[in-house]
């Protein structure tokens, strides 16, 4: 019946992170002992002080539509957060609160892109950027990077990728899936190139800002000249273990914020009212409340990296943030493992699911066909078991 559907949806790929998570869930329901390292979702509970704020909001009857761009108290709190953590001066009129960072990204693509506009994506990139850009008429231009260079795009690579059709560049730091964190010098080098092309806008996805072990964090908008050309995307899903609450936000030049509000007003209206009230408490909290969770992620990162470094055939960078590792598995391509021919990362991911009962996500989904993404947002006991199984299956 697909011929009855629009070309738009027929040309859209399913989110492979969500698809793998669904497949793992299905196999589990059939009784298989599956460990899912597919989805990027903290395994912690939302902190109690945020839950209390939500309960209070229910009792105070925050049950009606909020302003489309978010409650003013929340937008003011987000401005304080941008100033406190990122040294960014945004006014509430430059903030739009959305149903997750995902909707924020979709709004941006819808308001910025015309058919054929090119968007530079350093690869690997987060799975949904590519499809959101395509869905909005844009043309993603992938700039490949590799494990050898910590999966970071250089200024020279950026310069080469720019054409008269380039409208934007989208990236995440800390990066999903590679965990790479761009420091101020690296971002400054990219900005020097962008300086020569003042019409190019940047989407800086900073949703993993606080899950960062590098000791430094730099928002590209804080580099002189960039505030006017950057849309800073953030949200509470990852830092505050609030994936299901669905709150993301942007800080942007006012004309872009207004346009995002216009789109959102026709599509979803304001984000969930109770979740918005709770988010005021979350973004106003001192980031040190996250120390324990971040320390747990760092310890897991060390465990997983140490283990993978000892699996022959896997090459890995040291991820400095987020909660993923992205090993290069290309040395297995062309080999046969227990009767299964491995031609690419998707074959290897499916092999690990069948043979080791461990769900991962193929690097294809992130624009790097040599790698596999493994999420370490789960306990050390489960990670140790999963890694043992992977090692055995690859032996
Ligand atoms: N950006 C990146 C890099 C992500 O990993 C995610 C994960 N979901 C999102 C955006 C979307 O976040 P949200 O859950 O707030 O929609
Ligand atoms: N961002 C997470 C991931 O990359 C959640 C899944 C999704 O939203 O696609 O796995």
């Amino acid at each position: 019946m697909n011929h009855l559907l629009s070309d738009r949806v027929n040309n859209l790929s399913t989110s492979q992170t969500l698809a793998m998570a669904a497949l793992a869930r299905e196999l589990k329901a059939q009784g298989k002992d599956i460990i899912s390292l597919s989805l990027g979702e903290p395994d912690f509970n939302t902190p109690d002080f945020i839950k209390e704020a939500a309960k209070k909001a229910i009792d105070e009857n925050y049950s009606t539509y909020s302003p489309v761009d978010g409650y003013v108290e929340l937008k003011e709190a987000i401005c304080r957060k941008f100033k406190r953590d990122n040294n960014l001066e945004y006014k509430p009129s430059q903030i739009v609160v959305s149903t997750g960072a995902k909707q924020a990204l979709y709004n941006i693509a819808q308001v910025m892109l015309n058919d054929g506009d090119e968007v530079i994506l350093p690869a690997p990139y987060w799975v949904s950027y590519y499809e959101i850009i395509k869905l909005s008429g844009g043309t993603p231009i992938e700039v490949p990077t590799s494990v050898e260079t910590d999966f970071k795009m250089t200024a020279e690579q950026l310069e080469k990728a720019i054409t008269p059709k380039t409208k934007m560049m989208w990236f995440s730091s800390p990066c999903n899936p590679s965990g790479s964190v761009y420091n101020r010098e690296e971002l400054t080098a990219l900005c020097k190139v962008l300086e020569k092309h003042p019409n190019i806008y940047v989407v800086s996805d900073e949703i993993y800002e606080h899950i960062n072990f590098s000791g430094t964090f730099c928002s590209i908008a804080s580099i002189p000249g960039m505030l006017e050309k950057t849309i800073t995307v953030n949200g509470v899903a990852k830092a505050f273990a609030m994936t299901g609450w669905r709150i993301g936000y942007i800080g942007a030049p006012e004309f872009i914020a207004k346009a995002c509000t216009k789109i959102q007003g026709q599509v979803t209206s304001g984000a969930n009212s109770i979740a918005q009230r709770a988010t005021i408490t979350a973004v106003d909290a001192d980031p040190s409340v996250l120390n324990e969770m971040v320390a747990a992620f760092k310890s897991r990162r060390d465990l997983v990296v140490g283990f993978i470094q000892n699996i022959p055939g896997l090459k890995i960078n040291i991820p400095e943030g987020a909660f993923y590792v992205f090993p290069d598995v290309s040395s297995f391509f062309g080999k046969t493992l227990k009767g299964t021919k491995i031609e690419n990362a998707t074959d290897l991911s499916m092999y690990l699911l069948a043979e080791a009962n461990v769900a991962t996500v193929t690097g294809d989904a992130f624009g790097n066909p040599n790698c596999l993404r493994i999420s370490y947002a789960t306990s050390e006991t489960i990670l140790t078991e999963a890694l043992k199984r992977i090692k055995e299956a690859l032996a």
Side-chain angles (χ1 to χ4, degrees):
M1 301 298 270
N2 280 358
H3 66 286
L4 297 177
L5 298 173
S6 67
D7 295 344
R8 196 180 310 113
V9 78
N10 281 331
N11 290 332
L12 184 72
S13 307
T14 302
S15 163
Q16 292 196 53
T17 47
L18 300 182
M20 196 53 156
L23 179 60
R25 242 178 255 135
E26 201 180 300
L27 292 171
K28 246 185 184 165
Q30 289 169 13
K32 289 225 167 97
D33 173 26
I34 301 288
I35 301 179
S36 180
L37 305 183
S38 55
L39 203 60
E41 156 152 87
D43 56 325
F44 296 94
N45 291 323
T46 303
D48 284 341
F49 71 94
I50 299 174
K51 292 197 266 192
E52 287 310 320
K55 289 177 198 166
K56 188 159 166 270
I58 293 174
D59 289 339
E60 289 176 352
N61 296 308
Y62 280 97
S63 47
T64 58
Y65 292 127
S66 78
V68 172
D69 51 346
Y71 288 113
V72 70
E73 296 85 349
L74 174 54
K75 295 198 300 168
E76 284 166 356
I78 290 168
C79 290
R80 288 193 289 275
K81 174 257 169 293
F82 274 134
K83 180 70 194 147
R84 179 194 66 207
D85 299 341
N86 314 112
N87 200 23
L88 298 178
E89 302 272 1
Y90 286 117
K91 297 193 290 285
S93 57
Q94 296 180 276
I95 307 296
V96 181
V97 179
S98 298
T99 301
K102 212 177 232 177
Q103 188 190 18
L105 291 161
Y106 183 71
N107 287 342
I108 296 164
Q110 285 286 312
V111 310
M112 295 300 288
L113 301 178
N114 281 317
D115 285 354
D117 283 345
E118 293 181 356
V119 180
I120 294 177
L121 289 183
Y125 44 77
W126 181 48
V127 59
S128 292
Y129 295 168
Y130 193 96
E131 295 300 322
I132 287 175
I133 289 163
K134 248 177 49 191
L135 196 54
S136 307
T139 306
I141 304 292
E142 298 174 72
V143 177
T145 67
S146 71
V147 66
E148 282 80 19
T149 53
D150 192 23
F151 297 109
K152 286 180 190 166
M153 176 174 70
T154 62
E156 294 73 44
Q157 285 181 299
L158 172 61
E159 180 108 59
K160 266 202 197 135
I162 293 174
T163 76
K165 287 189 181 166
T166 308
K167 182 72 190 279
M168 307 189 86
M169 169 186 123
W170 286 30
F171 77 114
S172 62
S173 174
C175 173
N176 176 1
S178 69
S180 308
V181 177
Y182 284 86
N183 63 32
R184 180 167 284 272
E185 290 68 45
E186 288 158 345
L187 290 176
T188 303
L190 297 177
C191 293
K192 283 237 153 60
V193 175
L194 294 173
E195 240 172 44
K196 293 186 257 170
H197 305 273
N199 297 329
I200 299 178
Y201 280 77
V202 172
V203 166
S204 177
D205 182 344
E206 305 182 1
I207 198 157
Y208 293 99
E209 166 188 15
H210 293 301
I211 303 170
N212 180 352
F213 326 119
S214 72
T216 64
F217 179 77
C218 179
S219 289
I220 195 167
S222 70
I223 291 173
M226 289 305 294
L227 190 64
E228 294 73 27
K229 300 199 299 184
T230 303
I231 302 148
T232 308
V233 178
N234 211 322
V236 288
K238 313 291 172 173
F240 296 97
M242 292 172 71
T243 48
W245 296 62
R246 311 304 305 128
I247 299 290
Y249 54 86
I250 60 166
E254 201 170 296
F255 75 100
I256 296 176
K258 273 204 175 120
C260 289
T261 304
K262 186 160 118 184
I263 284 272
Q264 194 165 289
Q266 291 289 18
V267 180
T268 54
S269 304
N272 178 288
S273 58
I274 305 301
Q276 282 195 58
R277 299 309 299 185
T279 298
I280 298 174
T281 310
V283 294
D284 263 339
D286 190 288
S288 64
V289 298
L290 305 171
N291 285 354
E292 213 174 299
M293 185 178 74
V294 177
F297 278 128
K298 182 167 186 295
S299 158
R300 294 166 181 184
R301 190 272 315 255
D302 294 343
L303 173 91
V304 173
V305 169
F307 208 104
I308 290 183
Q309 281 172 332
N310 284 315
I311 300 182
L314 299 186
K315 267 191 283 175
I316 191 174
N317 65 321
I318 310 285
E320 301 219 79
F323 34 64
Y324 310 99
V325 288
F326 199 58
D328 184 310
V329 296
S330 58
S331 74
F332 289 93
F333 299 171
K335 293 197 173 150
T336 301
L337 297 171
K338 300 199 179 156
T340 306
K341 184 114 200 198
I342 308 295
E343 305 279 17
N344 50 45
T346 305
D347 288 349
L348 194 72
S349 173
M350 295 319 287
Y351 168 77
L352 289 176
L353 184 62
E355 192 60 38
N357 281 342
V358 177
T360 57
V361 185
T362 173
D364 282 355
F366 308 92
N368 187 322
N370 287 334
C371 298
L372 269 193
R373 191 188 78 173
I374 297 174
S375 161
Y376 58 82
T378 191
S379 74
E380 296 198 6
T381 316
I382 295 177
L383 286 170
T384 307
E385 171 62 21
L387 289 162
K388 254 178 31 207
R389 292 189 196 177
I390 291 177
K391 189 173 182 179
E392 270 166 33
L394 295 181

